[in-house]
Amino acid sequence: GEDVEQSLFLSVREGDSSVINCTYTDSSSTYLYWYKQEPGAGLQLLTYIFSNMDMKQDQRLTVLLNKKDKHLSLRIADTQTGDSAIYFCAESDRTGANNLFFGTGTRLTVIP
Amino acid sequence: ETGVTQTPRHLVMGMTNKKSLKCEQHLGHNAMYWYKQSAKKPLELMFVYSLEERVENNSVPSRFSPECPNSSHLFLHLHTLQPEDSALYLCASSQEGTGGNPDTQYFGPGTRLTVL
């Protein structure tokens, strides 16, 4: 089945850039997503990218997709303490999100 | 974001108890989901309801019983659970068939379940 992998932890200093990486195995992935989960809260959709795109930028967030290597990354510019959370990578294999496969999540800690 | 609400937010129950988790979505969506989130494991999809019909049941034990009375409400009935069922149970909803755009799932805050 599909496998989505992420490193478990990342620490950065406030003001630096954070880069959270994700690899996946399903070559038929159609959409790839980044979700954020703050303590005690559910998952919040941050952004998504269609598989025929290489990059998507949304304010401080930049998503890079290397489809050949099946590698997805999320860059957060000027990281703030409020960005501390768990970030989940997810992929679906068609337009419908019924089959949404998540990674284990990366816990980002921002050090003041 | 209060599009998807879940109650209760926290639940402690004994192995012989029967309880229900409730999810309500206020987004006009036509699909709803139950996920289980355990520590250091990927989110596990448990159940999917599309247009109030169950479309997926990923080999979930029968001690978990979903119910979707209408497109806005989803329940997860629990009985004779095990301590290993302790986890965060997340509900999500999406609008299927948006034609060209991803059917993005929107999540509730979850119910933190502890089974003693």
Side-chain angles (χ1 to χ4, degrees):
Chain A
E2 291 79 357
D3 195 14
V4 181
E5 294 193 357
Q6 303 175 238
S7 54
L8 289 178
F9 303 100
L10 176 65
S11 294
V12 298
R13 292 206 173 273
E14 190 174 15
D16 289 350
S17 292
S18 309
V19 179
I20 303 171
N21 294 301
C22 171
T23 57
Y24 59 97
T25 58
D26 184 7
S27 58
S28 64
S29 294
T30 307
Y31 287 95
L32 295 117
Y33 305 79
W34 284 105
Y35 282 85
K36 175 184 180 183
Q37 185 179 33
E38 297 184 21
L43 275 69
Q44 172 197 354
L45 177 68
L46 286 180
T47 186
Y48 65 87
I49 188 168
F50 188 48
S51 58
N52 69 353
M53 298 169 63
D54 299 323
M55 185 184 84
K56 182 178 180 180
Q57 186 153 4
D58 183 2
Q59 300 182 339
R60 292 192 297 121
L61 305 179
T62 303
V63 179
L64 295 177
L65 175 61
N66 182 329
K67 195 173 181 182
K68 174 176 170 290
D69 295 338
K70 300 190 183 68
H71 182 267
L72 182 75
S73 68
L74 174 69
R75 179 176 181 269
I76 305 173
D78 186 26
T79 313
Q80 303 297 306
T81 54
D83 295 324
S84 293
I86 301 175
Y87 291 82
F88 290 89
C89 167
E91 59 96 9
S92 66
D93 56 5
R94 59 179 178 86
T95 301
N98 280 354
N99 295 316
L100 196 61
F101 299 94
F102 286 85
T104 53
T106 299
R107 182 179 295 277
L108 173 64
T109 302
V110 182
I111 304 164
Chain B
E1 175 63 58
T2 57
V4 182
T5 57
Q6 292 187 240
T7 53
R9 293 294 307 275
H10 300 273
L11 177 63
V12 179
M13 59 187 289
M15 289 191 286
T16 59
N17 291 156
K18 285 186 180 181
K19 296 288 183 185
S20 296
L21 310 185
K22 179 183 176 182
C23 175
E24 185 173 359
Q25 59 95 1
H26 311 274
L27 302 169
H29 289 165
N30 59 12
M32 297 186 77
Y33 311 78
W34 278 118
Y35 285 89
K36 176 183 179 182
Q37 185 181 21
S38 304
K40 297 182 183 177
K41 292 174 67 175
L43 267 74
E44 301 171 51
L45 178 64
M46 299 175 72
F47 299 103
V48 180
Y49 276 83
S50 176
L51 301 171
E52 301 157 41
E53 296 289 327
R54 187 192 302 180
V55 297
E56 187 153 348
N57 173 359
N58 288 336
S59 303
V60 179
S62 60
R63 56 185 184 269
F64 296 91
S65 174
E67 179 190 1
C68 186
N70 55 61
S71 60
S72 300
H73 294 86
L74 184 65
F75 295 89
L76 187 62
H77 304 299
L78 316 171
H79 65 97
T80 59
L81 294 193
Q82 304 298 310
E84 59 265 29
D85 297 322
S86 299
L88 182 69
Y89 288 84
L90 292 164
C91 173
S93 71
S94 69
Q95 180 63 27
E96 285 203 331
T98 51
N101 292 317
D103 300 341
T104 305
Q105 293 184 23
Y106 293 84
F107 285 78
T111 295
R112 174 70 62 187
L113 174 66
T114 302
V115 181
L116 302 177

